[in-house]
């Protein structure tokens, strides 16, 4: 291919410069619609891979019209450059020497006019032995030495461009000015064409972008609506499920919040937490169906057992996810202390309907009934069977009902007792036997009344046997082999075959089925029982210490000795088959007919955590700031701080303050609790609370001053004075700032828990002020309270961070202001609770105490919509006749504090993030595929709980 120019240069130093020159020669002078302007050969860019490099370069030299040498001492010494110069020197076309150009990159070039040759004494950039005497006139050369190492070699403007234009003009056969002007004209044409194309492209892009934005906006709106609808549907499903299957309710609530947080999803979270109030862990989900192969009168097996010390839980089920009916299945183990599942025990299948299972007191040994009247004794830490104890002959039973009919395992794991049928020539005979677990030896074996025994070891290891058909009770000593004399229980006569259970201490017996009775065996009398259908499952860890845990149908609850239900622990979709509890009643496990297994605890989220209040501080002792409490006894006043950890003693002041008279006697402590400001009879004073010593000189002249709080700097206080709200400096007692306040009956004021935000209700408006140490209080929002304003009074409360303010008018109508946006919403109906309100830490709820007689509840309100979001019932001390109402205080760490009339102080978790973590601990699994497809089809929703 013919070339306009061949560039020869040294590869040692001049590759960048050669590349820049080549680029310039191609670009300068080109037509705007063509490229390049010149066809330029440079070996490293233009030469294809070849085995004969010399021949390829020679071919290009022959096809080139001009020759450009980038001269330098390195080029002069290069054998390649020398050969290329020699070829051009010996070119058959004598005019080739006129088409020889030089670009000097280093060294020197000097022309000797007198000699008509280069001055070879000074020229160092050209090889003398190749070019001496070749040229008659000085060839065109440009000095590019300053550009050899330069970072900038502009082809748009500047000296480098001018020099490249001069070289290019020689190749084009025109003057430098002509080429420069032509290049500028072509550049303007190119820029015009480019700008037109760019304008068209931009216009099209803008139109496409607008269309895309519009489509994206519509898609986003549709997606947002779909997510909101899905969230609301899941929340509704959760609320519908809370009383039937709390585990599923938790899952629905978690997914509702994950799809899109709404007021409905927050309500679902609150009610799911309440439904799982006593749940410690949902260990196995229900199968939501039962097998039909069991036959009439039989049910699917689910069995649970908890060790007496509350450390270990074992459970199995016909719906074991790791096995199947009729196969060797797993006995699952769960360490309650650490909250972790342990490797399971793989044993034999269990009897139809399930069989007996019991731990030793410390959870180290587990006895499990297997088919054919056998009992496996497991070493739990070692996961191995220590011994198998066989009642009768260990052969197949004549019928399923012939399995073990009574069962007991001693707390020390040393003895096992069972009632069973033994086949013989004259038919089956009912026996009761006791075995030594370590040796397997029979310690006692005798016939007994047919299927009418209840067995139980008490904590001392004494075995008790209740013959409920005969109405007698007898015992076997811990180390004995001979039964003691039978003791008659007057009035206790229960036919054989009726289920009877003994409490752990053998002091109480429960008679099931339609009797549903509780008997005190020590006193020999019936003590309770409502009659009617009996409990489906029941455990009595010790009625003298703790309650009775029973399942009636699908619910598990705590009952007193009269079998009156105290509270529900949980609910299942299918009837409960088994219940077990630790000796102290702290841990309770239950399993349902469809395989669901849950662990419950005696603690309660709704009931909260009791806080220390040894001084029995009551709601009436609270100061206006709700963080300080005081009470005058005799000649002195005790001062306390109310914190998230409980009531803390601050000190005692030698003052007499009248309780319940904030206009005459008020007190507020500094954030650190070391000092307190007292307003008494128009006089303000500062005190060292710990020392009980007054600091400085008190200041009069503040009549009717009612303290609101001490500001965060600990130096200034804010309080309500006649016709104004004042900020007072405790160093000088001077008023530093005054805010308008008319003091009318309808007026109200409140400060946030962080002491930085002040909300004022007056003149039919709500005004919010924000405090800084540098600028004092500054108004940040003012909104009208019409149409809910009333001249008869208001109560107001501010969220912890000051971003929301709630106002309750005289008629019980609630209004909530979002301070940053200025948006205010009103409740959908009047609140029935009292004036005690508080925001949750995350401001997801406005919480209010509702009290009816001796029953109290937390009422949740949605601050975004003003809608009610359900209630939490709670047990509060005191009675309806108490003059003091319960008080609700804002807490930290996602909690609210409540003061009951009896002085008890409780912290309750009311925070979506905390609830999310709690529910994830209970039900971390993914939503079943059928439910996911039903509610979330077409949506991409991440799993709400991290994988464990």
């Amino acid at each position: 291919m013919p070339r306009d120019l061949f560039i020869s240069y040294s590869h040692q130093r001049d590759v960048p410069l050669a590349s820049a020159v080549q680029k310039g020669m191609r670009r300068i002078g080109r037509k705007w619609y063509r490229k390049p302007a010149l066809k330029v050969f440079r070996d490293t860019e233009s030469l294809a891979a070849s085995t004969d490099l010399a021949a390829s370069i020679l071919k290009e030299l022959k096809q080139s019209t001009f020759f450009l040498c980038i001269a330098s001492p390195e080029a002069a010494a290069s054998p390649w450059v020398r050969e290329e110069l020699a070829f051009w020197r010996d070119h058959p076309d004598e005019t080739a020497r006129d088409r020889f150009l030089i670009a000097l990159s280093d060294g020197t070039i000097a022309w000797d006019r007198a000699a008509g040759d280069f001055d070879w004494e000074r020229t160092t950039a050209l090889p003398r032995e190749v070019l001496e005497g070749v040229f008659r006139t000085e060839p065109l050369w440009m000095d590019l030495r300053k550009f050899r190492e330069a970072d900038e070699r502009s082809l748009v403007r500047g000296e480098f461009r001018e020099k490249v234009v001069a070289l290019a003009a020689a190749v084009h056969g025109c003057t430098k000015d002509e080429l420069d002007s032509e290049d500028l004209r072509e550049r303007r044409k190119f820029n015009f064409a480019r700008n037109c194309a760019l304008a068209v492209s931009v216009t099209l892009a803008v139109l496409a972008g607008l269309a895309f934005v519009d489509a994206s906006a519509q898609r986003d709106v549709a997606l947002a609506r779909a997510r909101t609808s899905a969230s609301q549907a899941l929340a509704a499903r959760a609320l519908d499920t809370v009383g039937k299957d709390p585990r599923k309710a938790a899952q629905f609530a978690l997914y509702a919040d994950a799809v899109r947080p709404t007021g409905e999803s927050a309500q679902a979270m609150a009610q799911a937490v309440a439904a799982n109030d006593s749940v410690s862990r949902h260990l196995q989900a229900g199968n939501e169906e039962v097998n039909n192969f069991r036959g009439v009168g039989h049910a699917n097996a689910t069995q649970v057992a908890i060790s007496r010390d509350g450390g270990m839980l074992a459970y199995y089920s016909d719906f074991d996810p790791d096995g199947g009916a009729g196969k060797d299945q797993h006995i699952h183990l769960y360490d309650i202390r650490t909250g972790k599942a342990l490797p399971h025990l793989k044993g034999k299948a269990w009897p139809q309907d399930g069989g007996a299972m019991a731990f030793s007191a410390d959870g180290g040994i587990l006895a499990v009934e297997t088919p054919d009247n056998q009992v496996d004794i497991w070493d739990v830490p070692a996961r191995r069977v220590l011994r198998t104890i066989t009642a009768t002959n260990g052969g197949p039973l004549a019928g399923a009902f012939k399995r073990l009919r009574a069962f007991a395992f001693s707390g020390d794991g040393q003895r096992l007792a069972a009632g069973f049928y033994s086949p013989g020539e004259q038919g089956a005979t009912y026996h009761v036997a006791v075995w030594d677990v370590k040796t397997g030896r029979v310690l006692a074996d005798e016939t007994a009344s047919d299927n009418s025994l209840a067995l139980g070891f008490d904590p001392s290891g004494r075995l008790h046997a209740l013959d409920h058909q005969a109405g007698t009770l007898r015992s076997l000593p811990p180390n004995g082999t001979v039964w003691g004399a039978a003791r008659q229980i007057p009035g206790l006569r229960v036919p054989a075959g009726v289920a009877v259970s003994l409490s752990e201490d053998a002091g109480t017996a429960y008679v099931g089925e339609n009797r549903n009775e509780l008997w005190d065996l020590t006193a020999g009398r019936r003590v309770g029982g409502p009659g009617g259908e009996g409990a489906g499952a029941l455990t009595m860890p010790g009625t003298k210490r703790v309650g009775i845990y029973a399942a009636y149908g699908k619910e598990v609850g705590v009952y007193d000795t009269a079998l009156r239900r105290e509270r529900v622990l949980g609910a299942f979709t299918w009837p409960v088959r088994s219940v077990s509890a630790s000796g102290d009643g702290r841990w309770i496990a239950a399993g349902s007919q469809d395989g669901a297994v849950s662990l419950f605890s005696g603690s309660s989220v709704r009931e909260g955590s009791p806080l220390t209040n040894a001084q029995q501080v009551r709601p009436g002792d609270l100061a206006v700031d709700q963080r300080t409490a005081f009470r005058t006894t005799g000649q002195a006043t005790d001062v306390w701080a109310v914190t998230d950890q409980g009531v803390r003693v601050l000190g005692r002041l030698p003052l007499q303050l009248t309780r319940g008279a904030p206009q005459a006697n008020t007190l507020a402590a500094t954030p650190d609790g070391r000092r307190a400001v007292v307003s008494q009879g128009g006089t303000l004073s500062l005190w060292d609370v710990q020392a009980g010593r007054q600091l400085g000189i008190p200041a009069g002249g503040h009549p009717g001053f009612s303290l609101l709080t001490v500001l965060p700097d600990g130096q200034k206080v804010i309080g309500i004075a006649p016709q104004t709200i004042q900020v007072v400096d405790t160093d000088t007692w001077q008023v530093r700032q005054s805010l308008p306040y008319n003091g009318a009956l309808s007026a109200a004021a409140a400060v946030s828990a962080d002491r930085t935000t002040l909300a004022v209700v007056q003149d039919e408006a709500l005004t919010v002020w924000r405090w800084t140490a540098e600028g004092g209080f500054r108004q940040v929002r003012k909104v009208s309270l019409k149409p809910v304003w009333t001249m008869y009074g208001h109560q107001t409360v501010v969220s912890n961070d000051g971003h929301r303010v709630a106002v309750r008018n005289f008629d019980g109508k609630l209004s909530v202001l979002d301070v940053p946006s200025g948006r205010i919403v009103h409740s959908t109906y009047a609140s029935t609770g009292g004036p005690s309100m508080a925001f949750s830490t995350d401001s997801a709820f406005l919480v209010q105490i509702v009290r009816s007689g001796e029953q109290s509840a937390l009422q949740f309100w949605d601050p975004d919509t003003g809608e009610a979001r359900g209630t939490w019932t709670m047990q509060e001390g005191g009675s309806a006749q108490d003059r003091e109402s319960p008080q609700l205080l804002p807490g930290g760490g996602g909690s609210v504090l409540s003061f009951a009339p009896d002085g008890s102080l409780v912290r309750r978790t009311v925070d979506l993030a905390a609830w999310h973590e709690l529910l994830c601990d209970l039900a971390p699994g993914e939503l079943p595929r059928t439910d996911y497809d039903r509610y979330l089809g077409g949506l991409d929703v991440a799993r709400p709980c991290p994988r464990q």
Side-chain angles (χ1 to χ4, degrees):
M1 180 180 67
R3 305 276 188 178
D4 294 308
L5 179 67
F6 183 99
I7 298 179
S8 178
Y9 61 99
S10 168
H11 286 214
Q12 185 177 351
R13 295 283 302 279
D14 289 327
V15 172
L17 181 61
S19 176
V21 171
Q22 179 190 29
K23 185 177 180 180
M25 300 294 277
R26 286 176 170 178
R27 177 177 296 181
I28 294 172
R30 70 172 180 174
K31 299 295 183 182
W32 69 272
Y33 53 87
R34 289 179 55 193
K35 63 177 184 178
L38 296 174
K39 298 175 181 178
V40 181
F41 175 84
R42 184 171 65 87
D43 54 1
T44 56
E45 182 184 89
S46 306
L47 198 61
S50 174
T51 56
D52 191 353
L53 190 59
S56 298
I57 293 177
L58 179 61
K59 179 180 178 181
E60 296 295 339
L61 277 169
K62 289 179 178 180
Q63 297 181 113
S64 298
T65 304
F66 279 79
F67 184 96
L68 172 62
C69 175
I70 298 182
S72 67
E74 292 84 1
S78 169
W80 288 93
V81 175
R82 287 170 175 262
E83 289 184 20
E84 291 161 0
L85 287 171
F87 176 86
W88 201 261
R89 178 195 64 190
D90 301 333
H91 201 288
D93 186 351
E94 295 183 358
T95 62
R97 298 178 185 179
D98 297 332
R99 299 192 298 277
F100 183 83
L101 309 174
I102 300 174
L104 179 62
S105 68
D106 197 15
T108 57
I109 294 178
W111 181 259
D112 187 345
R113 291 187 179 181
D117 198 359
F118 289 103
D119 184 347
W120 295 108
E121 296 298 326
R122 292 186 295 160
T123 299
T124 62
L126 296 171
R128 180 173 184 176
E129 57 272 23
V130 177
L131 297 180
E132 185 175 13
V134 172
F135 297 98
R136 293 185 295 275
T137 59
E138 183 178 9
L140 176 65
W141 67 277
M142 290 293 157
D143 187 352
L144 301 181
R145 287 177 292 186
K146 66 187 296 184
F147 301 106
R148 189 184 204 191
E149 305 293 343
D151 294 330
E152 182 66 31
R153 303 183 185 95
S154 175
L155 295 173
V156 178
R157 61 182 64 83
E159 185 180 351
F160 181 75
R161 181 182 186 280
E162 292 179 2
K163 292 184 179 294
V164 175
V165 168
L167 292 171
V171 180
H172 282 281
C174 62
T175 66
K176 173 185 172 184
D177 291 340
E178 289 174 340
L179 180 60
D180 194 25
S181 298
E182 179 65 18
D183 182 64
L184 292 176
R185 281 194 299 273
E186 293 299 329
R187 183 173 295 278
R188 284 194 291 269
K189 292 179 183 178
F190 169 76
N191 289 340
F192 177 75
R194 181 194 62 188
N195 292 340
C196 289
L198 182 62
V200 172
S201 299
V202 169
T203 301
L204 293 175
V206 169
L207 292 175
L210 291 174
F212 175 77
V213 169
D214 183 61
S216 297
Q218 293 184 26
R219 179 182 61 82
D220 291 343
V221 170
L223 181 60
R225 288 175 177 171
R227 296 183 77 91
T228 299
S229 297
S231 176
Q232 292 171 337
L234 284 164
R237 188 77 175 94
L239 294 173
D240 181 59
T241 313
V242 290
K244 305 169 185 175
D245 191 337
R247 186 195 65 82
K248 292 199 70 174
Q251 278 194 320
F252 286 129
L254 285 168
Y255 270 88
D257 183 68
V259 176
R260 167 156 290 190
T262 63
E264 291 81 1
S265 69
Q267 180 181 5
M269 293 275 279
Q271 297 310 311
V273 169
N276 289 278
D277 189 34
S278 297
V279 177
S280 176
R281 182 82 174 190
H282 292 297
L283 295 163
Q284 185 169 294
N287 194 57
E288 299 186 3
E289 62 180 23
V290 295
N291 292 328
N292 60 11
F293 66 85
R294 290 296 181 182
V296 177
H298 298 284
N300 298 100
T302 301
Q303 198 72 23
V304 297
I306 293 181
S307 62
R308 190 170 295 171
D309 67 357
M312 291 292 295
L313 164 67
Y315 62 93
Y316 65 72
S317 170
D318 282 343
F319 293 103
D320 191 326
D322 299 324
K327 301 179 181 178
D328 288 348
Q329 299 189 28
H330 298 159
I331 300 171
H332 296 267
L333 297 174
Y334 183 77
D335 190 325
I336 298 176
R337 288 170 294 242
T338 63
K340 294 186 178 181
L342 301 177
H344 55 246
L345 307 178
K346 187 173 183 180
K348 303 172 186 176
W350 35 83
Q352 184 165 299
D353 298 342
M357 182 166 62
F359 274 108
S360 61
D362 62 2
I365 302 175
L366 178 67
V368 182
E369 180 185 353
T370 63
D372 301 337
N373 282 353
Q374 293 182 324
V375 179
D376 285 341
I377 307 298
W378 286 88
D379 181 330
V380 174
R383 310 289 191 276
R384 65 186 180 91
V385 175
L386 294 173
R387 179 173 301 281
T388 297
I389 293 177
T390 302
T392 67
N393 59 8
L397 303 177
F401 70 93
K402 299 293 187 181
R403 66 180 180 82
L404 298 181
R405 306 301 295 172
F407 183 88
F409 190 46
S410 65
D412 58 9
Q414 299 300 309
R415 289 190 171 192
L416 176 73
F420 57 91
Y421 288 98
S422 179
E425 294 182 1
Q426 303 301 321
T429 304
Y430 194 73
H431 284 248
V432 58
V434 182
W435 290 268
D436 182 295
V437 171
K438 185 176 182 180
T439 64
R441 182 169 60 91
V442 176
L443 300 176
D445 185 0
E446 60 181 49
T447 59
S449 299
D450 187 32
N451 195 18
S452 62
L453 279 184
L455 299 174
F457 284 97
D458 66 21
S460 71
R462 181 178 294 271
L463 175 62
H464 302 272
L466 173 66
D467 186 331
H468 51 78
Q469 187 174 11
T472 60
L473 180 70
R474 57 181 181 155
S475 302
L476 182 69
N479 298 317
T481 58
V482 179
W483 289 92
R487 178 168 59 88
Q488 192 72 38
I489 309 297
L492 178 61
R493 291 290 190 273
V494 181
V498 175
V500 176
S501 303
L502 284 180
S503 64
E504 188 178 88
D505 58 5
T508 307
Y510 169 76
V511 181
E513 299 185 17
N514 292 331
R515 298 283 292 268
N516 198 26
E517 298 172 352
L518 208 64
W519 283 77
D520 184 335
L521 299 181
T522 303
R525 61 185 178 89
R526 178 174 176 245
V527 294
E533 186 176 353
L538 175 141
T539 184
M540 297 178 287
T543 55
K544 291 183 176 62
R545 301 189 302 276
V546 295
I548 300 169
Y549 304 97
Y552 287 88
K554 303 173 185 177
E555 285 187 346
V556 178
V558 184
Y559 295 80
D560 62 16
T561 55
L563 291 183
R564 292 174 302 212
R565 190 175 71 183
E566 295 181 347
R567 63 187 177 95
V568 174
L569 295 176
F572 293 81
T573 306
W574 292 81
V576 177
R577 296 284 300 161
S578 177
V579 175
S580 181
S582 60
D584 59 4
R586 181 183 177 190
W587 300 105
I588 307 96
S592 72
Q593 190 174 339
D594 73 332
V597 177
S598 297
L599 177 66
F600 304 93
S601 101
S603 61
S604 167
V605 177
R606 283 183 298 177
E607 293 306 314
S609 303
L611 301 178
T612 57
N613 186 14
Q615 295 75 22
Q616 288 294 291
V617 173
R618 293 175 175 269
D621 298 325
L622 289 171
V624 178
D625 67 356
Q626 295 190 321
R627 288 303 184 193
T628 311
F630 63 94
R631 184 192 304 150
T632 296
T633 304
Q635 302 298 312
T637 297
D638 293 303
V639 183
W640 302 283
V642 181
T643 72
D644 294 334
Q645 285 70 47
V647 176
R648 177 167 57 92
V649 176
L650 296 182
R652 187 175 176 86
L653 304 180
L655 293 173
Q656 289 181 296
L657 300 178
T658 304
R659 184 183 184 195
Q663 281 71 35
N665 302 268
T666 56
L667 180 151
T670 57
D672 60 11
R674 295 181 178 179
R675 299 185 301 165
V677 177
V678 175
S679 174
Q680 186 177 29
T683 299
L684 297 178
S685 56
L686 182 65
W687 294 79
D688 182 326
V689 184
Q690 294 179 348
R693 177 172 56 89
Q694 185 171 293
L695 303 174
I697 301 173
H702 297 274
F705 188 88
S706 177
L707 277 172
L708 289 176
T709 192
V710 181
L711 293 174
D713 63 0
Q715 296 295 122
K716 300 179 184 66
V717 297
I718 181 174
I720 299 174
Q723 303 302 312
T724 185
I725 293 178
Q726 296 177 347
V727 177
V728 179
D729 191 326
T730 60
D731 287 338
T732 63
W733 299 116
Q734 297 296 312
V735 176
R736 297 302 184 188
Q737 187 176 8
S738 293
L739 307 177
Y741 190 74
N742 58 28
L745 178 63
S746 60
V751 182
S752 61
D754 65 3
R755 308 172 189 243
T756 63
T757 304
L758 169 68
V760 177
V761 176
Q762 63 177 347
D763 300 328
E764 304 182 4
L766 169 62
T767 307
V768 182
W769 305 77
R770 194 68 49 77
W771 183 84
T772 61
E774 299 79 16
F777 277 101
R778 176 177 59 87
Q779 182 177 312
V780 294
R781 185 68 64 188
K782 185 175 183 178
V783 296
S784 172
L785 279 180
K786 291 182 177 180
V788 298
W789 179 85
T790 171
M791 63 179 293
Y792 299 108
H794 300 82
Q795 296 91 32
T796 184
V797 64
V798 188
S799 65
N800 290 21
D801 57 8
H803 289 171
R804 283 183 169 170
V805 179
V807 177
R808 181 179 184 271
N809 72 4
F810 182 80
D811 299 316
K813 195 79 169 177
L814 289 170
S815 303
V816 182
L817 168 68
D818 182 79
V819 177
S821 67
R823 178 175 174 266
I824 189 169
V825 297
H826 307 292
S827 61
T828 51
Y829 57 85
S831 66
T832 57
S836 184
M837 303 180 294
F839 280 97
S840 60
T841 306
D842 59 3
S843 297
F845 291 109
L846 173 65
V847 189
Q848 185 181 22
I849 288 184
V850 180
R851 187 170 173 84
S852 176
E854 296 185 10
Q855 184 66 53
S856 297
L858 292 184
Q859 170 75 57
F860 296 99
W861 294 89
D862 187 341
D864 289 324
T865 64
E867 297 176 347
R869 294 300 182 193
T871 60
W872 276 6
T873 58
M874 58 184 187
Q875 299 296 325
E876 294 280 10
S879 65
Q881 286 73 37
D882 287 322
R883 291 185 302 167
E884 300 177 42
S885 299
Q887 188 75 23
L888 196 64
L889 314 177
S895 66
V896 293
L897 310 181
S898 62
F899 256 118
D902 66 351
S904 59
L905 178 61
V906 175
R907 179 179 61 229
R908 291 179 173 86
T909 300
V910 182
D911 180 84
L912 288 177
W915 289 349
H916 184 280
E917 183 177 352
L918 185 150
L919 294 178
C920 277
D921 285 342
L922 300 179
E926 296 182 5
L927 201 64
R929 175 50 58 183
T930 54
D931 290 322
Y932 190 99
D933 293 340
R934 179 184 303 171
Y935 296 104
L936 302 174
L939 298 176
D940 183 15
V941 180
R943 177 186 176 124
C945 302
R947 296 184 182 275
Q948 296 186 342

